[in-house]
Amino acid sequence: QVHLVESGGGLVQFGGSLRLSCAASGFTLDYYDIGWYRQVPGKEREGVSCISSTDDWTDYAESVKGRFTISRDKAKNTVYLQLHSLKPEDTALYYCATDLSSTPWCGISYNTVNFWGEGTQVTVSS
């Protein structure tokens, strides 16, 4: 079976940092663009960041530029999202996702993904 498993969320104070991990099992992340998304109850899920399969392209939502960094560790089959300077408005359930396709989508559209993890909760206190 193939899975994406997120971890690293938690409760952090305003201005704090977290590192989220997205680990794959049953398949290799190397071949796919991978994205991070977040959702707050009552709001639509939004694309936060993505990284291309070749690791030469990354994209960030305007709201997180300069504060979040996406990276990939191929040896660990894991994609990370480093979160710095966290704000209460960053509070959300964070998911990683891909479309399990070799077609590039990072930097084009966050809406093509169809394979999701269960999410990890990030809560930022003021």
Side-chain angles (χ1 to χ4, degrees), residues 5-111:
V5 179
E6 301 93 337
S7 61
L11 174 62
V12 64
Q13 289 187 333
F14 178 86
S17 299
L18 286 172
R19 188 178 76 161
L20 307 184
S21 299
C22 171
S25 63
F27 71 105
T28 301
L29 285 175
D30 295 6
Y31 305 123
Y32 309 111
D33 292 6
I34 305 296
W36 281 96
Y37 297 73
R38 65 186 182 186
Q39 188 168 25
V40 176
K43 293 188 177 181
E44 288 191 0
R45 188 152 42 188
E46 65 167 330
V48 174
S49 180
C50 60
I51 186 167
S52 66
S53 60
T54 52
D55 294 348
D56 60 354
W57 184 265
T58 57
D59 186 78
Y60 297 93
E62 286 296 324
S63 59
V64 306
K65 277 183 181 177
R67 301 188 299 122
F68 292 8
T69 303
I70 193 169
S71 62
R72 187 195 301 259
D73 186 331
K74 293 187 176 182
K76 295 184 177 180
N77 204 24
T78 300
V79 170
Y80 301 99
L81 187 67
Q82 182 71 53
L83 287 59
H84 290 300
S85 303
L86 282 162
K87 307 173 183 180
E89 52 263 45
D90 294 318
T91 295
L93 187 59
Y94 283 71
Y95 301 86
C96 62
T98 184
D99 64 350
L100 292 177
S101 163
S102 60
T103 304
W105 58 264
C106 180
I108 301 172
S109 171
Y110 281 94
N111 297 326

